[in-house]
Amino acid sequence: MGDEQPSTFQPSLVERVAVRGFNLLNRFIPWYKLPGILGAFNLAILRVELRGKNLFSTYPSGQALGSQDTHPTDERYLTARHSDGRDNSLEMPLMGCAGTRFGRNFPRSHCKKPSEEELWTPNPALVSARFMARREDEFKPASTLNLLAAAWIQFQTHDWFNHEDSDEKFSIPLPPKHDWPESHMSLPKTAVDTTYKAFDGKCPAYRNANTAWWDGSQIYGSSEATTTKLRDGAMDGKLRLNDNGVGAFILRDAQNVPQTGFSTNWWVGMEMLHTLFALEHNAICDKLKEVHPDWTSDRIFDKARLVNCALMAKIHTVEWTPAILAHPALQIGMNANWWGLAGETLMKLVGRIAPNSEIISGIPGSGVDNDGVPYSLTEEFVSVYRMHSLIPDNIAFFDARRGEHQKTVPISTVAFEHAQTPVDPVPKGGLGLDFADVFYSFGINYPGAITNNNYPAFLRDFTDPKGIRRDLGTVDILRDRERSVPRYCEFRRMLRMSVPTTFEEIVGGVAGKDGAKRQKLALDLADVYGGDISKVDAMVGMHSEPLIDGFGFSETAFRIFIVMASRRLKSDRFIAGRWDEDMYTREGLAWVQNSTMKDVLVRHFPCLKETLAKSDNAFAPWAKMDGSKPYRGRETNVVA
């Protein structure tokens, strides 16, 4: 039995002609050098090509994901999300639900289980030390973003994917002169799904412990049991919050673990966003209760969750993404993903002018389409979202009402069990701030740039709450290899991109401005990878390649994003399918379409209204208040 299940997606004749035409044009002019609207069309056609050539299921057939006969749908979930993700598709009820497999963007024949030599060559800890470590006082800021953007993407990925750990462990050998006292690093292996072992052949498959849908599972949980627990004792469809409703998110258990849908890798950024969107859920409940006073608590909850999830999807699509990919074609393209090329104004005035066209009228309401392969997130999608470089070494906190600097603390002091420190009272060892202060501070702090040698020291040597000491740089490299993500050159080849033949080509050449730095990087790559360019790890190559103007991450990573970002919307029947007032209610649909991230922040923290009114995008650096402008701290991650 073979292990290849490619997409059966068939582009139209017009699309096939357009693919050939743009492929020819791009030999001479890349998409990002075309005028904005033409570049946006180029990306739309590139997405068509990727849908046909870069989607692969890791299941033998769609029947592996269930049918109405074997998994009948509870009537409630015809119009509500099930917490484990089932019943999003009524034809394949288990598609995308918790416990199902990750897919692939590349043929599985090119994603074979690595040999021992491939797994350890070169040593992943050596790669981390040479290409991840942030040197002292050499923080590289992403000056077009703020720290809220860094917190946001972790908040979102916690909703999308989470591999299961095995009981078996790696013992990672550390290179000579490594700065750890131990000679090895222990790390749980990823659990392999052996359900269809004969079908899987030489390419293992792995399960996603989360749902793969844009369904707020990081807040609501990936099981109905978790959701029920998080609602326990709350009225009118709400989630439990602490007494004052604006402090720490919901409750902590006896071990000080946040009681939320996903609480791993916790820090103050997660504390903020989980709190914010739990508050948003409850505000939606209040609105629904006002309009529908006879509704049950379950019905209010179901509709509020639909609205809250759709709002997060919209914010990510039309606000976060254009902030980190600030290119004219992307501004047009991402807005078109949601509103269509017809635009937001026309959509709000007359609705969908081309009901079934995602290009003209946007993906929401355009009709569900799985692009010829059962929906899942992919191993390569997980790989390109390794963005730990975004985390700075320190966070400078300011007062949100006057703008005055309060205190600067290392990132390690606001992580894990210390995540509440900024909002804890001073007598209890906290900073005595409120969430408005913390959000303002994140709005004017820079994150790190997604590039080489920009991992904070904290993430390269920390012990998590389970007692596992790890270096995330080493972990990131090893996970890609373990899960058979192709290395950089093969990764690009499978995307039909140009493939470098020298280390100098990877870094963009060694002439002109910064040529000496790029020459050194090329030499370092050649040294660590033994002169064999085919061995360069995907993440190292993506961090080394020159960026398109305005981009916060590599074009190689972006190619995966092009196909998967729209797929998350297009496969979801609660977004691409029933996008109407019957499903969301009139007030719920208006809540989504008329709210931005700035609106959400001001709704719960009104004192932020003045500074946000002067800021174009909530994920770009905020306008500083007068009290913040004299600040002259030594941190390079505070907006000048």
Side-chain angles (χ1 to χ4, degrees), residues 177-188:
K177 298 182 180 180
H178 197 278
D179 55 2
W180 281 28
E182 294 91 351
S183 61
H184 287 71
M185 183 191 312
S186 180
L187 181 72

Side-chain angles (χ1 to χ4, degrees), residues 281-326:
H281 172 93
N282 288 354
I284 298 165
C285 289
D286 286 337
K287 180 64 176 179
L288 292 172
K289 181 67 174 179
E290 175 189 328
V291 179
H292 306 282
D294 58 330
W295 278 13
T296 65
S297 183
D298 281 350
R299 191 173 184 187
I300 293 173
F301 173 83
D302 288 343
K303 294 304 179 186
R305 174 162 59 175
L306 275 175
V307 171
N308 205 24
C309 295
L311 178 55
M312 286 186 278
K314 178 195 169 197
I315 287 170
H316 187 82
T317 301
V318 302
E319 296 184 72
W320 184 85
T321 303
I324 199 168
L325 299 172

